[in-house]
PDB file of all heavy atoms in Angstrom:
ATOM      1  N   ARG A1196      20.434  14.115  11.209  1.00 98.00           N
ATOM      2  CA  ARG A1196      21.433  14.206  10.147  1.00 98.00           C
ATOM      3  C   ARG A1196      20.910  13.420   8.940  1.00 98.00           C
ATOM      4  O   ARG A1196      21.053  12.193   8.886  1.00 98.00           O
ATOM      5  CB  ARG A1196      22.762  13.657  10.630  1.00 98.00           C
ATOM      6  CG  ARG A1196      23.444  14.511  11.709  1.00 98.00           C
ATOM      7  CD  ARG A1196      24.587  13.791  12.358  1.00 98.00           C
ATOM      8  NE  ARG A1196      24.115  12.691  13.213  1.00 98.00           N
ATOM      9  CZ  ARG A1196      24.899  11.740  13.709  1.00 98.00           C
ATOM     10  NH1 ARG A1196      26.199  11.726  13.405  1.00 98.00           N
ATOM     11  NH2 ARG A1196      24.398  10.804  14.485  1.00 98.00           N
ATOM     12  N   ILE A1197      20.292  14.122   8.012  1.00 98.00           N
ATOM     13  CA  ILE A1197      19.652  13.486   6.855  1.00 98.00           C
ATOM     14  C   ILE A1197      20.224  14.080   5.571  1.00 98.00           C
ATOM     15  O   ILE A1197      20.233  15.294   5.380  1.00 98.00           O
ATOM     16  CB  ILE A1197      18.123  13.708   6.866  1.00 98.00           C
ATOM     17  CG1 ILE A1197      17.509  13.190   8.164  1.00 98.00           C
ATOM     18  CG2 ILE A1197      17.477  13.027   5.662  1.00 98.00           C
ATOM     19  CD1 ILE A1197      16.034  13.520   8.307  1.00 98.00           C
ATOM     20  N   GLU A1198      20.705  13.217   4.703  1.00 98.00           N
ATOM     21  CA  GLU A1198      21.160  13.630   3.378  1.00 98.00           C
ATOM     22  C   GLU A1198      20.189  13.066   2.340  1.00 98.00           C
ATOM     23  O   GLU A1198      19.929  11.869   2.316  1.00 98.00           O
ATOM     24  CB  GLU A1198      22.568  13.114   3.095  1.00 98.00           C
ATOM     25  CG  GLU A1198      23.090  13.534   1.715  1.00 98.00           C
ATOM     26  CD  GLU A1198      24.447  12.947   1.394  1.00 98.00           C
ATOM     27  OE1 GLU A1198      25.051  12.304   2.279  1.00 98.00           O
ATOM     28  OE2 GLU A1198      24.889  13.120   0.232  1.00 98.00           O
ATOM     29  N   VAL A1199      19.646  13.940   1.520  1.00 97.00           N
ATOM     30  CA  VAL A1199      18.692  13.523   0.487  1.00 97.00           C
ATOM     31  C   VAL A1199      19.312  13.769  -0.878  1.00 97.00           C
ATOM     32  O   VAL A1199      19.759  14.879  -1.180  1.00 97.00           O
ATOM     33  CB  VAL A1199      17.360  14.292   0.605  1.00 97.00           C
ATOM     34  CG1 VAL A1199      16.384  13.823  -0.473  1.00 97.00           C
ATOM     35  CG2 VAL A1199      16.751  14.106   1.988  1.00 97.00           C
ATOM     36  N   THR A1200      19.346  12.749  -1.714  1.00 97.00           N
ATOM     37  CA  THR A1200      19.880  12.876  -3.065  1.00 97.00           C
ATOM     38  C   THR A1200      18.750  12.667  -4.077  1.00 97.00           C
ATOM     39  O   THR A1200      17.671  12.180  -3.720  1.00 97.00           O
ATOM     40  CB  THR A1200      20.995  11.850  -3.330  1.00 97.00           C
ATOM     41  OG1 THR A1200      20.444  10.528  -3.251  1.00 97.00           O
ATOM     42  CG2 THR A1200      22.104  11.997  -2.304  1.00 97.00           C
ATOM     43  N   SER A1201      19.014  13.030  -5.306  1.00 95.00           N
ATOM     44  CA  SER A1201      18.002  12.861  -6.350  1.00 95.00           C
ATOM     45  C   SER A1201      18.669  12.756  -7.704  1.00 95.00           C
ATOM     46  O   SER A1201      19.651  13.447  -7.982  1.00 95.00           O
ATOM     47  CB  SER A1201      17.017  14.030  -6.351  1.00 95.00           C
ATOM     48  OG  SER A1201      16.120  13.939  -7.443  1.00 95.00           O
ATOM     49  N   ALA A1202      18.112  11.874  -8.527  1.00 94.00           N
ATOM     50  CA  ALA A1202      18.548  11.778  -9.920  1.00 94.00           C
ATOM     51  C   ALA A1202      17.440  12.273 -10.831  1.00 94.00           C
ATOM     52  O   ALA A1202      17.383  11.942 -12.015  1.00 94.00           O
ATOM     53  CB  ALA A1202      18.901  10.329 -10.248  1.00 94.00           C
ATOM     54  N   GLY A1203      16.542  13.066 -10.256  1.00 93.00           N
ATOM     55  CA  GLY A1203      15.466  13.642 -11.046  1.00 93.00           C
ATOM     56  C   GLY A1203      14.231  12.768 -11.170  1.00 93.00           C
ATOM     57  O   GLY A1203      13.332  13.069 -11.961  1.00 93.00           O
ATOM     58  N   GLU A1204      14.171  11.689 -10.381  1.00 94.00           N
ATOM     59  CA  GLU A1204      13.006  10.807 -10.461  1.00 94.00           C
ATOM     60  C   GLU A1204      11.732  11.554 -10.062  1.00 94.00           C
ATOM     61  O   GLU A1204      11.733  12.337  -9.116  1.00 94.00           O
ATOM     62  CB  GLU A1204      13.171   9.593  -9.532  1.00 94.00           C
ATOM     63  CG  GLU A1204      14.385   8.743  -9.816  1.00 94.00           C
ATOM     64  CD  GLU A1204      15.586   9.145  -8.990  1.00 94.00           C
ATOM     65  OE1 GLU A1204      15.575  10.255  -8.412  1.00 94.00           O
ATOM     66  OE2 GLU A1204      16.544   8.343  -8.926  1.00 94.00           O
ATOM     67  N   ARG A1205      10.650  11.295 -10.781  1.00 94.00           N
ATOM     68  CA  ARG A1205       9.366  11.919 -10.460  1.00 94.00           C
ATOM     69  C   ARG A1205       8.445  10.991  -9.690  1.00 94.00           C
ATOM     70  O   ARG A1205       7.443  11.432  -9.121  1.00 94.00           O
ATOM     71  CB  ARG A1205       8.672  12.381 -11.755  1.00 94.00           C
ATOM     72  CG  ARG A1205       9.423  13.499 -12.458  1.00 94.00           C
ATOM     73  CD  ARG A1205       9.590  14.689 -11.528  1.00 94.00           C
ATOM     74  NE  ARG A1205      10.413  15.753 -12.103  1.00 94.00           N
ATOM     75  CZ  ARG A1205      10.832  16.802 -11.431  1.00 94.00           C
ATOM     76  NH1 ARG A1205      10.518  16.925 -10.161  1.00 94.00           N
ATOM     77  NH2 ARG A1205      11.572  17.725 -12.004  1.00 94.00           N
ATOM     78  N   ASP A1206       8.772   9.712  -9.701  1.00 92.00           N
ATOM     79  CA  ASP A1206       7.992   8.744  -8.925  1.00 92.00           C
ATOM     80  C   ASP A1206       8.907   7.595  -8.537  1.00 92.00           C
ATOM     81  O   ASP A1206      10.082   7.562  -8.909  1.00 92.00           O
ATOM     82  CB  ASP A1206       6.777   8.233  -9.717  1.00 92.00           C
ATOM     83  CG  ASP A1206       7.182   7.565 -11.032  1.00 92.00           C
ATOM     84  OD1 ASP A1206       8.043   6.656 -11.009  1.00 92.00           O
ATOM     85  OD2 ASP A1206       6.648   7.951 -12.091  1.00 92.00           O
ATOM     86  N   ILE A1207       8.376   6.648  -7.781  1.00 91.00           N
ATOM     87  CA  ILE A1207       9.141   5.472  -7.381  1.00 91.00           C
ATOM     88  C   ILE A1207       8.434   4.245  -7.930  1.00 91.00           C
ATOM     89  O   ILE A1207       7.288   3.953  -7.561  1.00 91.00           O
ATOM     90  CB  ILE A1207       9.258   5.373  -5.850  1.00 91.00           C
ATOM     91  CG1 ILE A1207      10.062   6.563  -5.319  1.00 91.00           C
ATOM     92  CG2 ILE A1207       9.924   4.063  -5.433  1.00 91.00           C
ATOM     93  CD1 ILE A1207      10.201   6.592  -3.821  1.00 91.00           C
ATOM     94  N   ALA A1208       9.101   3.576  -8.850  1.00 87.00           N
ATOM     95  CA  ALA A1208       8.577   2.340  -9.442  1.00 87.00           C
ATOM     96  C   ALA A1208       7.205   2.541 -10.078  1.00 87.00           C
ATOM     97  O   ALA A1208       6.394   1.623 -10.136  1.00 87.00           O
ATOM     98  CB  ALA A1208       8.513   1.229  -8.395  1.00 87.00           C
ATOM     99  N   GLY A1209       6.942   3.762 -10.546  1.00 88.00           N
ATOM    100  CA  GLY A1209       5.676   4.026 -11.209  1.00 88.00           C
ATOM    101  C   GLY A1209       4.473   4.105 -10.288  1.00 88.00           C
ATOM    102  O   GLY A1209       3.327   4.139 -10.753  1.00 88.00           O
ATOM    103  N   LEU A1210       4.701   4.171  -8.975  1.00 87.00           N
ATOM    104  CA  LEU A1210       3.589   4.197  -8.021  1.00 87.00           C
ATOM    105  C   LEU A1210       2.842   5.529  -8.094  1.00 87.00           C
ATOM    106  O   LEU A1210       3.441   6.592  -8.223  1.00 87.00           O
ATOM    107  CB  LEU A1210       4.115   3.977  -6.602  1.00 87.00           C
ATOM    108  CG  LEU A1210       4.758   2.610  -6.328  1.00 87.00           C
ATOM    109  CD1 LEU A1210       5.343   2.580  -4.920  1.00 87.00           C
ATOM    110  CD2 LEU A1210       3.732   1.500  -6.499  1.00 87.00           C
ATOM    111  N   THR A1211       1.523   5.454  -7.991  1.00 88.00           N
ATOM    112  CA  THR A1211       0.684   6.648  -8.029  1.00 88.00           C
ATOM    113  C   THR A1211       0.922   7.494  -6.783  1.00 88.00           C
ATOM    114  O   THR A1211       0.983   6.973  -5.674  1.00 88.00           O
ATOM    115  CB  THR A1211      -0.800   6.259  -8.108  1.00 88.00           C
ATOM    116  OG1 THR A1211      -1.005   5.469  -9.295  1.00 88.00           O
ATOM    117  CG2 THR A1211      -1.686   7.481  -8.170  1.00 88.00           C
ATOM    118  N   ALA A1212       1.021   8.810  -6.985  1.00 93.00           N
ATOM    119  CA  ALA A1212       1.352   9.698  -5.865  1.00 93.00           C
ATOM    120  C   ALA A1212       0.135  10.382  -5.268  1.00 93.00           C
ATOM    121  O   ALA A1212       0.241  11.017  -4.218  1.00 93.00           O
ATOM    122  CB  ALA A1212       2.367  10.746  -6.312  1.00 93.00           C
TER     123      ALA A1212
END
Side-chain angles (χ1 to χ4, degrees):
R1196 292 168 289 167
I1197 303 173
E1198 180 184 354
V1199 181
T1200 64
S1201 174
E1204 301 93 345
R1205 294 302 175 189
D1206 59 52
I1207 296 178
L1210 296 175
T1211 301

